[in-house]
Amino acid sequence: MPSAPACAAALVSAIEAGDVGAAAAACDPASWAADHGDSPRRLFHKATDPRRGFTVALTGEVQVDDGLAAVQVSLQRGERQLAQLALLCAEDQGESRVMAVSDQPAWAAAFVAGQVPALLQVDALPPHDDSANAVVAVCALAQRAKAGVGDASAMITELLQADEGAAQVVGRLQHLVAAGHRVRVLEGRWLPALGHAVVHAEVLQPDSDVVDDALWIHLEAGPPLKWRAIEGSLRAAALLP
């Protein structure tokens, strides 16, 4: 079994000592500063908060591939294990740094394989305009179906019957449009190594610009594009095959 990168052991030691400077030094500066649930800074502050009574320990399990590593650690309170986490590490110019903390084993494995970033930050992913345009097109088609224009209703029905993913995504968008909501597409992004695209959109209240809800619409990037799922929040697990 490969040994853990020095940065992982350094971060765990810094947590044990409550040394924020040493913890920051073991981590990628941008990842440490990120306001993100998987930032190593969040783990440090959680594990060093005396009110919580947490400890973090290396478990010895390590995945390594081409300068990327996932080091398993255990988050505990006393003798009770609360969670198994992975410290996602990357080597740059011969020096390793902790990039993120993940509680998703599949995400950690995909990171080590070079398929996903350590931190899931949507605005850092490459744009995917085709997916965003596809959502806009479905909403426009649903609007025409609502108005009884041409064969729009038949086209919506055909989309709904394509497969389970299309039934979920197109059905939800059609329902929103039929109820008078407007869906405002913000951006489409994707993970090229996985061929997975995600569209971020907002649901506006009828006859208003007030945002009612968020939508995250998942697609296989294709070609052809294929609908996968629609959710109210972005989950790392939903981006994986």
Side-chain angles (χ1 to χ4, degrees), residues 13-216:
S13 295
I15 290 172
E16 291 175 348
D19 187 338
V20 67
C27 300
D28 171 70
S31 299
W32 176 264
D35 184 17
H36 192 285
D38 292 339
S39 167
R41 178 169 52 91
R42 296 284 293 271
L43 174 63
F44 176 85
H45 288 301
K46 178 186 291 186
T48 56
D49 184 341
R51 296 168 298 179
R52 297 176 183 261
F54 292 156
T55 58
V56 176
L58 295 171
T59 68
E61 298 177 39
V62 184
Q63 296 173 277
V64 179
D65 187 15
D66 196 24
L68 302 177
V71 181
Q72 299 299 315
V73 298
S74 176
L75 182 66
Q76 299 178 193
R77 182 182 289 119
E79 297 298 316
R80 181 186 174 196
Q81 179 177 295
L82 302 177
Q84 282 280 354
L85 306 172
L87 303 182
L88 307 184
C89 308
E91 186 176 304
D92 182 28
Q93 297 181 348
E95 195 166 9
S96 62
R97 289 283 182 268
V98 178
M99 307 296 292
V101 180
S102 178
D103 62 358
Q104 300 287 326
W107 188 267
F111 166 76
V112 173
Q115 297 174 319
V116 300
L119 289 176
L120 175 55
Q121 295 178 296
V122 174
D123 57 3
L125 299 177
H128 197 264
D129 294 340
D130 286 352
S131 60
N133 292 337
V135 175
V136 172
V138 167
C139 292
L141 185 61
Q143 191 65 51
R144 292 199 298 273
K146 178 183 176 182
V149 176
D151 58 355
S153 291
M155 294 172 68
I156 284 286
T157 299
E158 185 176 348
L159 285 174
L160 289 169
Q161 294 174 346
D163 54 43
E164 185 177 344
Q168 182 190 142
V169 176
V170 177
R172 175 75 185 281
L173 294 174
Q174 181 194 29
H175 174 77
L176 289 168
V177 171
H181 294 279
R182 182 160 52 93
V183 177
R184 179 164 60 197
V185 173
L186 301 178
E187 61 181 345
R189 300 278 178 168
W190 75 315
L191 292 163
L194 296 178
H196 186 117
V198 61
V199 176
H200 186 197
E202 294 175 333
V203 180
L204 305 180
Q205 292 181 3
D207 303 317
S208 169
D209 282 336
V210 176
V211 176
D212 219 15
D213 203 358
L215 293 177
W216 295 93

